[in-house]
Amino acid sequence: MALLVKKFGGTSVGSINKIKNIAKNISKSKDAGHDIVIVVSAMGHSTDDLNNLAYSLSKNPPRRELDMLLSTGEQVTIALLSIALNEYGIPAISMTGSQVGIITESIHGKARILEIKTSRIEDHLAQGYVVVIAGFQGSSLSHNGSMEITTLGRGGSDTSAVALSTALGAETCEIYTDVPGVLTTDPRIVTNAKLLDAISCEEMLELASVGASVLHPRAVEIARNYGIKLYVKSSETDQQGTLLLSDIKPLKLSRGSLELTKTVNSLEILEKQVVFGLYELPDKPGIAAQIFEELSKAKINVDLIIQATREENSNDITFTIAEKFLEKTIEQCDLIISQIGGKYSITQNMTKLSIQGAGIMGRPSISAEFFDTLSKANINVRLIATSEIKVSCVINLKDIAKAIRFVGEKFKLCTNQIFINPISEKKDKPEVRGIALDKNQVQVSFRNLPDKPGVAASICLALAEANLIFDTIVQSERNSELNTKDISFTMNKEDRLNAENVLKMLIKKYPESRLEDGQAIAKVSAVGAGMAFKEGTAAKIFRALANENINIEMIATSEIRTSCIVLEKDCNNAVNAIHNYFKLNE
Ligand code: ASP
Ligand code: MG
């Protein structure tokens, strides 16, 4: 006999008939003798409807009252489902978040869960009840000690379900939704996108544009931290769906910090890295493919790859390798440069520093704080590359102790959250599991910025302070002799319009540099946990694009993700090309 937590989303409880069907199906698991906790969302679009009611009265409704209102949506569903279950002869009892004791921070509208009291649920289960719990809500104590209703943020009932599974020590958590599970990519773009049997939580977070609509990222992070077996499946069919697996050693649940309130979860350091800068390469499709194919043939495993700037018809590509590949890489670079032209530089004794955490997603202030911390420690940042849940930069090896101290303190990391040269066991994972696409983006570049500590920080801080979301920040240098660097990032088109003043102010601060706006672009990201352990994955991605004659405007990589910025007109073609190249439909 196991304890199962099942969560049903808005569409799955969207009508009385659907609620009846769920009640009927529950009787099957109950017959098998399992204890069952059900978490539900509000019916259909009722949260949107409630929200609209509030905004029809006020442009800025008090957050406390919004929580009071929105939390009623789920309260309707728990009562109806309990009534239906009882009608089918299954003893059931409904509970709100406050009745359970889902204790959250006292932040209205986006509270994180601190702790869940399990005794009332366990008592009901022991008496043979199915317990039906309202998702998306909890309660906090106000400053004077009285109880307040809070909500977890839109889509938050997934998070309630996984958090409850953690607190109750449930065997599995099943999220029932209106899609069959997690697909390799958006099926509107690739018609033969395939349902994934399994995916790691980390990969799921990096596949944000595909994954976040399926599962609340905070739910994925809790599952990852506590090793919860999480299934996402359709409530309409009997299919298995997708299993999300944790890729780290599960944390112990400690009191009062269920959802770690930290945005940054870990700091990783990779020592003894060498930076290769290839300059003045021809800017045409196929160059990146050719370079990384040569390196891969020589069995050189490339880590970060960064391409950002473009001058007239030339491009720069920078990459890092582990020191043990140095000799071989020099040989290959000589060969490559003799074939395609350009020149190259080598910098030894470098280190890669990365912060990671689901909380980084959509919060550019975190990268700004990271760079700011380094600049306060007077550490110069040589390269930068970001992905959804990770910000990496390359610094001098000599600065590493200082960097660990400053960054560790800034993000309040304990020693068990700091990993130096971590050994990973993801070798047998697929190199590409899925492909994400972010459309509607533009590229903005600052050219010829002074190469000194604090520049990246000041740009990111200014944008973050103005509440502008930017990502895929890439820093590279045109030519190290000039002692300048370029910083490029992407933002969505709307934010670019709103950024005009901030960008103008920034450019005044750096009179030697200039601002360049790129064309409409899209970000195509291939994600796979095995990527870091196979030579040549990046080469294949670039080859897939070159075969379609798609030029790559910008490249940024992390261990499990390679992002290429391409012109918006090419993006569907690009996703299809990579999907086919890696035979993801098979
Ligand atoms: N009902 C809430 C929303 O629509 C929470 C959820 O469905 O996950 O955002
Ligand atoms: Mg949802």
Side-chain angles (χ1 to χ4, degrees):
M1 195 179 81
L3 169 60
L4 309 178
V5 174
K6 293 169 183 279
K7 181 252 164 179
F8 294 91
T11 344
S12 309
V13 294
S15 69
I16 287 295
N17 267 334
K18 289 189 174 179
I19 290 179
K20 272 190 193 167
N21 278 334
I22 293 173
K24 254 190 251 171
N25 284 331
I26 293 299
S27 59
K28 290 183 206 152
S29 322
K30 191 72 189 148
D31 286 346
H34 298 308
D35 281 339
I36 299 169
V37 169
I38 303 178
V39 178
V40 288
S41 292
M43 289 173 72
H45 295 290
S46 55
T47 310
D48 288 331
D49 298 340
L50 291 168
N51 210 34
N52 290 341
L53 288 177
Y55 281 90
S56 71
L57 290 170
S58 162
K59 265 196 213 123
N60 189 15
R63 299 283 124 185
R64 177 187 183 277
E65 305 311 328
L66 262 185
D67 276 0
M68 188 65 89
L69 178 70
L70 297 191
S71 62
T72 62
E74 274 69 13
Q75 201 171 327
V76 171
T77 325
I78 51 172
L80 291 176
L81 183 55
S82 288
I83 294 171
L85 284 163
N86 280 300
E87 193 59 23
Y88 282 104
I90 305 162
I93 186 163
S94 65
M95 293 178 89
T96 63
S98 336
Q99 284 177 313
V100 169
I102 298 180
I103 315 292
T104 73
E105 306 169 298
S106 45
I107 298 175
H108 288 291
K110 54 173 183 199
R112 286 182 172 244
I113 299 174
L114 301 176
E115 193 171 343
I116 298 183
K117 306 247 188 292
T118 53
S119 57
R120 276 189 81 179
I121 303 175
E122 282 158 350
D123 283 350
H124 290 312
L125 290 173
Q127 290 166 35
Y129 284 104
V130 168
V131 185
V132 186
I133 299 172
F136 176 59
Q137 54 174 265
S139 65
S140 70
L141 291 183
S142 73
H143 58 279
N144 59 15
S146 55
M147 193 275 277
E148 291 290 345
I149 293 177
T150 52
T151 64
L152 311 183
R154 296 306 305 271
S157 52
D158 295 337
T159 297
S160 311
V162 184
L164 276 158
S165 307
T166 304
L168 290 164
E171 194 108 321
T172 59
C173 178
E174 297 166 312
I175 307 277
Y176 289 88
T177 170
D178 52 354
V179 293
V182 185
L183 301 182
T184 48
T185 191
D186 185 339
R188 288 168 301 185
I189 298 169
V190 179
T191 43
N192 59 2
K194 203 186 148 216
L195 177 67
L196 291 166
D197 301 333
I199 185 171
S200 72
C201 293
E202 203 182 13
E203 290 169 314
M204 179 77 176
L205 290 167
E206 288 289 7
L207 278 173
S209 74
V210 187
S213 52
V214 184
L215 259 186
H216 203 223
R218 276 163 55 189
V220 181
E221 189 170 52
I222 301 173
R224 173 170 191 255
N225 285 343
Y226 299 103
I228 301 292
K229 255 186 166 180
L230 184 60
Y231 287 93
V232 187
K233 47 170 105 175
S234 159
S235 53
E236 305 289 320
T237 66
D238 264 345
Q239 280 176 336
Q240 255 263 241
T242 306
L243 171 60
L244 271 88
L245 292 163
S246 174
D247 36 25
I248 59 169
K249 202 169 132 241
L251 300 180
K252 272 223 187 72
L253 183 58
S254 58
R255 262 192 91 195
S257 61
L258 193 151
E259 259 196 279
L260 295 174
T261 37
K262 285 175 194 159
T263 36
V264 173
N265 237 339
S266 66
L267 171 64
E268 261 177 43
I269 292 109
L270 220 52
E271 294 174 305
K272 299 228 169 104
Q273 302 289 297
V274 183
V275 176
F276 276 77
L278 307 187
Y279 304 110
E280 291 163 33
L281 306 166
D283 178 30
K284 59 177 191 207
I287 293 294
Q290 192 181 340
I291 294 170
F292 293 99
E293 274 166 0
E294 293 298 340
L295 296 171
S296 131
K297 269 191 246 159
K299 298 249 170 306
I300 297 163
N301 200 359
V302 175
D303 185 19
L304 283 184
I305 304 174
I306 287 168
Q307 174 201 306
T309 50
R310 194 150 68 166
E311 206 126 36
E312 283 134 32
N313 284 322
S314 78
N315 246 337
D316 299 342
I317 293 180
T318 313
F319 62 86
T320 63
I321 51 151
E323 205 171 71
K324 63 177 183 196
F325 295 120
L326 180 62
E327 305 296 308
K328 273 207 270 183
T329 310
I330 294 177
E331 258 168 54
Q332 292 309 312
C333 283
D334 286 335
L335 185 77
I336 292 164
I337 294 296
S338 74
Q339 286 169 356
I340 61 176
K343 46 187 180 186
Y344 74 94
S345 72
I346 305 171
T347 322
Q348 280 175 263
N349 292 325
M350 302 302 277
T351 305
K352 186 174 78 169
L353 194 67
S354 314
I355 51 169
Q356 194 178 21
I360 294 174
M361 242 171 145
R363 285 206 200 98
S365 58
I366 305 297
S367 16
E369 284 167 18
F370 180 46
F371 302 139
D372 189 44
T373 306
L374 293 173
S375 99
K376 285 195 177 121
N378 206 23
I379 296 171
N380 201 16
V381 175
R382 171 75 191 265
L383 296 168
I384 295 171
T386 60
S387 66
E388 296 293 338
I389 59 163
K390 200 161 190 168
V391 184
S392 302
C393 64
V394 175
I395 62 172
N396 257 315
L397 193 57
K398 68 169 175 46
D399 290 327
I400 198 64
K402 208 163 52 164
I404 295 176
R405 188 153 42 85
F406 272 76
V407 176
E409 249 166 49
K410 170 75 204 178
F411 296 107
K412 302 199 172 58
L413 299 171
C414 342
T415 38
N416 65 0
Q417 290 173 298
I418 299 176
F419 303 92
I420 300 180
N421 304 320
I423 304 166
S424 180
E425 281 141 26
K426 297 170 197 158
K427 292 196 172 65
D428 49 349
K429 297 272 171 62
E431 50 184 339
V432 174
R433 184 97 72 173
I435 302 165
L437 173 64
D438 274 318
K439 279 208 254 197
N440 222 359
Q441 306 270 307
V442 288
Q443 181 190 336
V444 182
S445 308
F446 280 95
R447 310 290 296 266
N448 297 342
L449 288 161
D451 185 15
K452 60 176 192 208
V455 176
S458 76
I459 293 178
C460 295
L461 280 171
L463 290 165
E465 266 161 26
N467 248 332
L468 295 161
I469 309 255
F470 55 93
D471 64 4
T472 332
I473 316 156
V474 152
Q475 172 180 297
S476 59
E477 62 266 66
R478 171 83 244 184
N479 192 330
S480 31
E481 292 142 37
L482 279 178
N483 256 329
T484 66
K485 58 191 174 188
D486 297 339
I487 292 180
S488 302
F489 47 87
T490 61
M491 55 198 327
N492 78 34
K493 284 180 191 159
E494 264 167 47
D495 274 337
R496 172 63 190 88
L497 293 178
N498 299 329
E500 197 54 42
N501 286 339
V502 180
L503 295 175
K504 270 202 192 125
M505 178 205 80
L506 281 166
I507 208 73
K508 266 199 205 129
K509 221 165 129 184
Y510 302 109
E512 305 287 289
S513 63
R514 61 179 201 282
L515 187 71
E516 267 178 28
D517 270 300
Q519 291 164 274
I521 45 142
K523 179 167 66 187
V524 178
S525 310
V527 174
M531 186 176 284
F533 307 96
K534 287 212 180 84
E535 306 96 21
T537 309
K540 289 184 211 161
I541 295 168
F542 303 150
R543 175 56 62 200
L545 298 178
N547 285 349
E548 294 297 313
N549 211 20
I550 297 170
N551 202 25
I552 305 169
E553 306 291 312
M554 196 160 141
I555 301 168
T557 66
S558 75
E559 278 97 39
I560 71 163
R561 164 167 148 154
T562 300
S563 296
C564 298
I565 306 292
V566 301
L567 292 185
E568 196 169 87
K569 69 172 175 51
D570 289 331
C571 71
N572 286 6
N573 204 355
V575 175
N576 271 288
I578 302 173
H579 201 268
N580 289 339
Y581 202 96
F582 286 92
K583 302 193 169 68
L584 295 186
N585 59 317
E586 282 172 18

